[in-house]
């Protein structure tokens, strides 16, 4: 946390994903990539909100790896 800015990472115990129907899939034999979060604190709403990013190497292409990058938004608040 730096002023109103926040950043952190989350590491899940194994790979999670979604199938075509939106159902959660788990693969306990594969490691989940680290998810990076960054955002800002809004004093008016007393929430943190921002963007998340997940980078996953999916296939070798010559001497490099093809990378899939997923992003989205997040928001967190404390319920009393």
């Amino acid at each position: 946390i730096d002023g109103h800015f926040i950043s952190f990472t989350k590491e899940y115990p194994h790979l999670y994903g979604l199938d075509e129907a939106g159902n959660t899939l788990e693969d306990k034999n594969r490691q989940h990539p680290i998810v990076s979060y960054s955002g800002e604190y809004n004093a008016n709403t007393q929430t943190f909100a921002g963007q998340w990013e997940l980078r996953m190497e999916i296939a070798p292409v010559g001497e490099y790896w093809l990378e899939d990058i997923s992003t989205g938004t997040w928001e967190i608040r404390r319920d009393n």
Side-chain angles (χ1 to χ4, degrees):
I1 296 177
D2 184 9
H4 285 239
F5 179 78
I6 186 172
S7 65
F8 57 96
T9 60
K10 170 85 174 155
E11 191 168 352
Y12 293 91
H14 53 268
L15 185 63
Y16 293 92
L18 298 175
D19 66 14
E20 295 81 19
N23 300 310
T24 301
L25 301 174
E26 294 183 48
D27 185 344
K28 294 184 179 182
N29 296 317
R30 294 180 61 198
Q31 184 177 1
H32 195 286
I34 295 172
V35 184
S36 299
Y37 295 84
S38 62
E40 303 244 347
Y41 180 69
N42 182 322
N44 293 330
T45 60
Q46 297 184 355
T47 60
F48 284 97
Q51 298 281 326
W52 60 265
E53 180 179 275
L54 180 147
R55 293 176 174 259
M56 180 183 291
E57 293 179 340
I58 56 173
V61 178
E63 62 184 83
Y64 302 100
W65 278 82
L66 181 63
E67 189 174 58
D68 181 34
I69 302 172
S70 299
T71 62
T73 59
W74 63 274
E75 181 177 291
I76 190 168
R77 75 183 65 164
R78 175 182 277 179
D79 286 336
N80 293 327

